[in-house]
Amino acid sequence: MTDSRRRLMTASALLGGVLLLTGCSGGGAGASGGGSGDTSQAKADEAAAKKSSEAQITITPKDGSNNASINNSAGVTVSKGTLTDVTMTTQDGKAVAGQLSADKKSWKPSVQLERSTTYKLAAAAKDSEGRIAHENASFTTVSPANSFIGTFTPDNGATVGVGMPVSINFDKAITDKAAVQKGITVSTSSGQEVACHWFNANRMDCRPMEYWKEGSTVTLKLALDGVQGAAGVYGVQQKTVTFHIGRNQVTYVDAKTKQMKVTQDGKVVKTIPISAGSPENKTYQGQMVISEKFKQTRMNGATVGFTDDDGKGEYDIKDVPHAMRLTNSGTFIHGNYWGAPSVFGNVNTSHGCVGLQDKKGAKDSSTPAAWFYDHTLIGDVVIVSNTGDKTVSPDNGLNGWNLDWSQWKAGSAV
């Protein structure tokens, strides 16, 4: 091959390479020579934007959130459009029921969420031109280790006696008592001032200066969702509870006369002979509130420190009738079928309880114990005197009435 032929072939190859390179380039002469910009990235993005939905979907909590509330955190809203589909599931695929607003602008779960659970939300919405937008998110609710709840008494809808305080026991120690107390309100239809008192880091009780007014309604509001009670520990409750106050019944137990007078609205309606604690095992004095009632229950001395040398209880009665609790430490006012009838009104023989004459089996409605049981509400007050013992501790049961009003208010955190 001659040199001139080689030069011709080389020139042809180079020219072909230039032509090939030019044909694959988006910015070469061929693209600009036609005068069209439709294939540029900017034009493509602009065209895509014109076809996208204007609907803007917002899911809360934000995707990836931890420690989310189990009450109000989850929801979907849309602007410039309406929701067409929302699904919420747990991580294992269990569906969560929800409710779409009438205007289809928002959606929220219709059930309370579970703690320490991961949820997924998928939403679709359309704009005025029917174009669809989608959004997805997942979040995890607050764990039991990072949240607190308060167990309260009395129950919603209950009718209770005039001495019944609102008592809340928290499952975590509260260090920011003021923040938690501010999230709790107790009000009454009678207009009485209500104050709260912290007995310790886990318990707060609320009551008025004097007993609740007969026939009034008390409302407890727990707005603790998201309230920080301690470092890294948040409330999850959002609840309103109402309960009603029954007739004004206060019972007076006199260990010296060994008589019990039941009063309603200040008038004596029944006098019942009793047997209080023996000189060796005196009954607490003071104002006590009935916190539980049992038609029959077991009482074992070993559970409250009354044991024989063998370690067994000094008594173990499996069917104590008409038992009504006065303290957490084991003081009851209850029926007694094992004592002679002559004991009641004459001798104090018990281990600290207040005994009333009764029959075994709790089936005889004519006995003094049965009468008192049938005419007693949770929250009724029993005032015990002349026992020779100390006044019951105000946190031993629902017995905060043994603090005067200034002492009670001094226990408030706000």
Side-chain angles (χ1 to χ4, degrees):
M1 182 181 295
T2 65
D3 290 341
S4 60
R5 186 176 177 182
R6 287 193 186 99
R7 286 193 295 269
L8 180 60
M9 291 176 66
T10 301
S12 298
L14 289 172
L15 182 59
V18 171
L19 290 174
L20 180 63
L21 181 62
T22 302
C24 291
S25 173
S32 59
S36 173
D38 291 344
T39 59
S40 70
Q41 187 62 49
K43 292 294 185 180
D45 291 345
E46 183 180 353
K50 289 181 179 179
K51 295 179 181 180
S52 296
S53 175
E54 292 185 349
Q56 300 292 322
I57 301 171
T58 301
I59 295 177
T60 54
K62 292 181 179 179
D63 187 37
S65 296
N66 291 310
N67 290 330
S69 166
I70 63 173
N71 294 295
N72 299 320
S73 64
V76 181
T77 59
V78 64
S79 61
K80 298 182 180 180
T82 56
L83 293 168
T84 58
D85 183 55
V86 179
T87 58
M88 184 175 183
T89 59
T90 60
Q91 195 169 24
D92 59 6
K94 182 180 178 181
V96 177
Q99 185 174 5
L100 184 66
S101 63
D103 61 4
K104 298 182 179 181
K105 293 286 188 179
S106 63
W107 180 96
K108 62 180 180 180
S110 55
V111 295
Q112 188 178 64
L113 305 184
E114 299 292 332
R115 287 191 287 180
S116 198
T117 302
T118 298
Y119 291 92
K120 296 181 179 180
L121 268 166
K126 64 179 180 180
D127 62 11
S128 58
E129 296 186 19
R131 294 171 296 191
I132 301 297
H134 296 271
E135 194 70 49
N136 294 272
S138 66
F139 63 92
T140 302
T141 51
V142 64
S143 68
N146 294 108
S147 61
F148 70 88
I149 61 171
T151 302
F152 56 85
T153 190
D155 293 332
N156 186 43
T159 297
V160 297
V162 295
M164 187 69 186
V166 171
S167 184
I168 306 172
N169 286 274
F170 299 101
D171 65 348
K172 301 283 195 310
I174 302 301
T175 57
D176 194 342
K177 295 177 180 177
V180 171
Q181 187 173 334
K182 288 175 183 177
I184 299 172
T185 58
V186 181
S187 59
T188 172
S189 61
S190 67
Q192 292 172 275
E193 178 189 357
V194 180
C196 297
H197 181 98
W198 289 87
F199 287 114
N200 51 51
N202 293 83
R203 177 180 170 187
M204 185 184 79
D205 286 13
C206 306
R207 67 167 177 87
M209 181 171 66
E210 299 177 343
Y211 302 143
W212 303 104
K213 297 297 183 184
E214 175 182 353
S216 60
T217 298
V218 181
T219 301
L220 163 66
K221 291 185 178 181
L222 300 172
L224 297 175
D225 188 38
V227 174
Q228 183 166 306
V233 179
Y234 299 87
V236 296
Q237 288 170 296
Q238 185 169 294
K239 192 175 185 67
T240 298
V241 173
T242 60
F243 60 93
H244 308 286
I245 307 302
R247 73 287 176 276
N248 184 341
Q249 178 168 302
V250 179
T251 297
Y252 297 86
V253 173
D254 189 330
K256 184 177 181 179
T257 65
K258 303 167 188 65
Q259 300 290 318
M260 182 175 88
K261 293 183 178 181
V262 183
T263 70
Q264 290 187 1
D265 296 321
K267 298 179 181 180
V268 177
V269 296
K270 187 83 169 178
T271 299
I272 300 174
I274 61 96
S275 179
S278 69
E280 297 77 23
N281 302 296
K282 299 180 180 70
T283 304
Y284 285 130
Q285 298 191 132
Q287 302 177 72
M288 298 179 228
V289 173
I290 292 176
S291 59
E292 290 184 292
K293 292 177 64 180
F294 304 98
K295 194 69 175 285
Q296 294 187 84
T297 192
R298 179 184 180 183
M299 291 188 179
N300 186 339
T303 64
V304 289
F306 292 111
T307 57
D308 293 323
D309 293 339
D310 60 3
K312 295 183 179 180
E314 292 182 13
Y315 58 88
D316 188 1
I317 306 170
K318 296 179 174 62
D319 58 350
V320 177
H322 300 118
M324 292 151 277
R325 182 183 292 278
L326 296 176
T327 71
N328 290 342
S329 61
T331 308
F332 281 77
I333 183 167
H334 62 78
N336 178 337
Y337 65 78
W338 52 91
S342 59
V343 167
F344 305 99
N346 294 294
V347 186
N348 290 326
T349 61
S350 82
H351 284 78
C353 292
V354 177
L356 314 178
Q357 187 178 355
D358 208 343
K359 295 275 185 73
K360 184 179 177 67
K363 295 179 180 179
D364 188 343
S365 61
S366 67
T367 67
W371 183 93
F372 186 65
Y373 183 91
D374 291 340
H375 288 80
T376 293
L377 294 173
I378 299 294
D380 279 349
V381 180
V382 177
I383 301 176
V384 182
S385 62
N386 296 322
T387 69
D389 200 11
K390 63 182 180 180
T391 299
V392 65
S393 175
D395 61 346
N396 186 1
L398 303 176
N399 299 324
W401 298 103
N402 293 289
L403 294 174
D404 64 32
W405 190 232
S406 61
Q407 293 174 314
W408 184 260
K409 293 181 76 173
S412 172
V414 298

